[in-house]
Amino acid sequence: MWCPPGGVWCRTDRIALNPLNSPEAAPSPHSDEDLRLWPGHTADMNFQVTGLGLDKMKLDSPQSFLDQEEAEEAEDQQLLEPEAWRAYMERRTALREFLTSDLSPHLLKRHHARMELLKKCSYYIEILPKHLALGDQNPLVLPNTMFQLIDPWKFQRMKKVGTAQTKIQLLLLGDLLEQLDRGRAELDALLESPDPRPFLAGWGLVAQRLADLSAVMDSFLAMMVPGRLHLKHRLVSDIGTTKIPHIRLMLSTKMPVMFDRKGSVAHQDWASLRWFVTIQPAAPEQFELRFKLLDPRTQQECMQCGIIPVAACTFDVHNLLPNRSYRFTIKRAESYTLVYEPWWDSLTLQTRPGPPEGPTPSRLGKPGLPLTTLSVR
C-alpha cells in the first residue's frame, strides 16, 4: 500500500522480490514495465494521477495484461520443481486443446441446434427388402408389394415399437448433450484453477474424464442417425409359399415443414400461404393445411375453420373475415408408415380492415366513377 504525492492510495496486485536483494538488479524507476517493489528501492508509477482520474491508456494497455499473466505464471512456477512444471504445462496445453477443438463452445452450439431440429422432424418406418434365396428367378419384391404380404396387426405393433424407440432415442440424445455441457464446464473450471498442484495430483481422473467425454461424443454422433428396428417376430405371415421375402425395417427422418414467414401474407378477406422443407424430398409430398379463427364472437364465426389437403407448397385461403386473427398450421399428410411427429409449425396472421361502413366520402372519388381498391403484397 502506498500513496503518490497529491494522489490517492493505490495497491499493487503482485509483489515481485529481487532475487539478488540489491538495488542494482532493480529496473529503472522510469521504465515502461509494470510496477514492482524491490527491497531497498522505491519505484514510481508510470501514469499520472490527477485528483481521482487515472490515465486509462496505461491501465488498459494489452501489455499490462500480458505482464500480469507472466507474473502469475512465474509465481506458479515457484511452487513446482522444473520437471513437474513442464509436466503441468504439457497437460494444461492438452486440456486446452481438447476444450477448443473436441468440445468447443461453437461445436456444442451446433449440436444443440441439431437437437432442436430433430425434435421437430417426422419419423417413419422404412421397409428395405433383401434379395430372395439364391437361384430364385422372381424379381425383387418392391415395398408396395410387401405391404400386401405384411400382417397388418403385426405392422401396427411394430409402429408402436418404432414410436417408443424414437422417443427413447431423443431422450438419450438430450441426456448425452447435457453430459457434454457439464463436462466442459467442469474442465473449464479446472483449467482456470490458480493452484497447479491439485491439477497435477488429480491428472489421472482428468485423463479418464477426457476419455469418457470422448466416448459420450461418439455415442451422441452415432445416435443422431435413426437406427434399425429390432424385430422379435416375423411380419410376413405364412403365405403358402416355400420362400418368404426377407424384410428389414429402419427408422427414417424427414425434415420439418415450416411456413415462409415473409412469403405468407394476409389480405382483407383471404390469405396467401407458403411453406417449405429444408431438404427437398425426391418425390412430391402431400400436406395438410389447417386454419382457425381466433376468438370467434358468434356461433357462425365458430365455423371459420377447416382442414385442407394440399399437394403443393403454396395455397390461398379465401372467404376470411376482415380485421380478424387466424391461426394456420401446416404438416405432412397422414402416412401409413408414420410413427412419430411431435411438432407442427403454426403461423398467426391478421386480415386487413374492411372498407368503412356508411356512404363513401366524396373526397375518395368523383361521383359516378367506381372506386378501385388496390391490394399491395
Side-chain angles (χ1 to χ4, degrees):
M1 189 77 69
W2 64 280
C3 177
V8 295
W9 285 98
C10 300
R11 181 177 180 179
T12 58
D13 294 333
R14 300 236 177 221
I15 298 178
L17 300 180
N18 180 11
L20 301 180
N21 195 19
S22 63
E24 290 77 4
S28 170
H30 299 289
S31 64
D32 292 335
E33 298 178 2
D34 57 330
L35 181 62
R36 289 179 172 86
L37 300 183
W38 301 78
H41 179 75
T42 302
D44 297 330
M45 299 189 71
N46 58 1
F47 52 84
Q48 299 294 328
V49 180
T50 305
L52 295 178
L54 302 179
D55 186 358
K56 295 184 179 180
M57 296 296 293
K58 293 291 183 180
L59 285 176
D60 298 339
S61 63
Q63 185 63 35
S64 63
F65 290 105
L66 293 176
D67 293 341
Q68 183 179 358
E69 290 182 359
E70 292 176 359
E72 291 177 355
E73 289 187 1
E75 183 180 278
D76 294 339
Q77 188 172 2
Q78 295 178 3
L79 301 176
L80 301 173
E81 296 295 333
E83 185 176 350
W85 174 256
R86 285 193 297 269
Y88 167 71
M89 292 303 296
E90 291 175 358
R91 294 169 181 178
R92 181 182 174 88
T93 301
L95 177 58
R96 190 187 301 273
E97 291 178 354
F98 181 83
L99 292 178
T100 55
S101 58
D102 297 353
L103 208 60
S104 66
H106 177 70
L107 184 61
L108 290 178
K109 184 178 180 180
R110 286 178 52 192
H111 288 332
H112 276 282
R114 294 176 65 185
M115 184 65 198
E116 292 301 318
L117 182 62
L118 286 177
K119 292 179 180 179
K120 298 178 181 180
C121 289
S122 304
Y123 297 87
Y124 297 81
I125 286 183
E126 184 177 357
I127 300 178
L128 301 178
K130 292 183 179 180
H131 291 281
L132 299 180
L134 184 63
D136 197 311
Q137 300 300 322
N138 293 330
L140 293 177
V141 182
L142 300 178
N144 292 335
T145 308
M146 282 190 172
F147 279 119
Q148 302 176 4
L149 304 178
I150 293 176
D151 188 306
W153 182 83
K154 293 181 179 180
F155 186 75
Q156 290 298 325
R157 187 169 60 179
M158 284 306 305
K159 288 178 62 175
K160 295 181 180 179
V161 173
T163 303
Q165 183 170 322
T166 303
K167 292 180 178 179
I168 293 174
Q169 191 166 345
L170 291 175
L171 290 176
L172 289 177
L173 282 172
D175 181 71
L176 292 174
L177 195 54
E178 290 181 2
Q179 292 184 39
L180 294 175
D181 290 334
R182 289 196 305 267
R184 175 178 170 79
E186 295 171 0
L187 295 178
D188 191 57
L190 181 62
L191 190 64
E192 300 298 329
S193 177
D195 192 352
R197 289 171 295 187
F199 183 89
L200 284 176
W203 177 250
L205 296 177
V206 175
Q208 182 61 43
R209 185 65 169 146
L210 295 178
D212 293 342
L213 289 175
S214 297
V216 171
M217 179 65 76
D218 293 339
S219 300
F220 178 81
L221 295 177
M223 200 173 293
M224 292 288 284
V225 181
R228 180 175 178 176
L229 281 174
H230 302 285
L231 299 176
K232 295 183 178 180
H233 306 283
R234 289 168 50 183
L235 293 180
V236 180
S237 302
D238 187 5
I239 55 178
T241 60
T242 57
K243 298 175 182 179
I244 299 177
H246 297 276
I247 295 176
R248 288 185 301 153
L249 296 184
M250 302 286 293
L251 284 176
S252 63
T253 306
K254 291 185 178 180
M255 291 294 103
V257 184
M258 293 181 288
F259 278 112
D260 182 359
R261 258 68 181 174
K262 295 182 179 180
S264 300
V265 183
H267 301 272
Q268 179 178 318
D269 58 353
W270 65 285
S272 176
L273 302 172
R274 299 179 183 275
W275 55 89
F276 64 94
V277 182
T278 306
I279 301 178
Q280 292 294 333
E285 291 189 290
Q286 300 290 326
F287 301 98
E288 183 179 285
L289 175 64
R290 301 187 181 193
F291 71 97
K292 180 180 180 181
L293 173 66
L294 301 180
D295 301 325
R297 301 165 187 171
T298 63
Q299 188 68 26
Q300 185 177 3
E301 289 185 354
C302 292
M303 305 298 293
Q304 284 273 320
C305 62
I307 301 176
I308 306 172
V310 185
C313 291
T314 179
F315 191 81
D316 295 337
V317 181
H318 293 271
N319 299 323
L320 303 180
L321 300 178
N323 200 23
R324 302 295 293 274
S325 295
Y326 286 83
R327 175 179 292 126
F328 301 93
T329 304
I330 189 65
K331 63 182 289 291
R332 288 185 177 88
E334 290 291 337
S335 172
Y336 184 65
T337 59
L338 176 66
V339 296
Y340 190 54
E341 190 176 32
W343 181 83
W344 300 348
D345 194 15
S346 297
L347 176 66
T348 301
L349 296 176
Q350 182 171 356
T351 54
R352 297 179 180 180
E357 299 180 358
T360 304
S362 59
R363 61 182 178 87
L364 295 180
K366 296 182 180 180
L369 294 180
L371 296 176
T372 303
T373 302
L374 297 179
S375 298
V376 182
R377 295 184 61 179

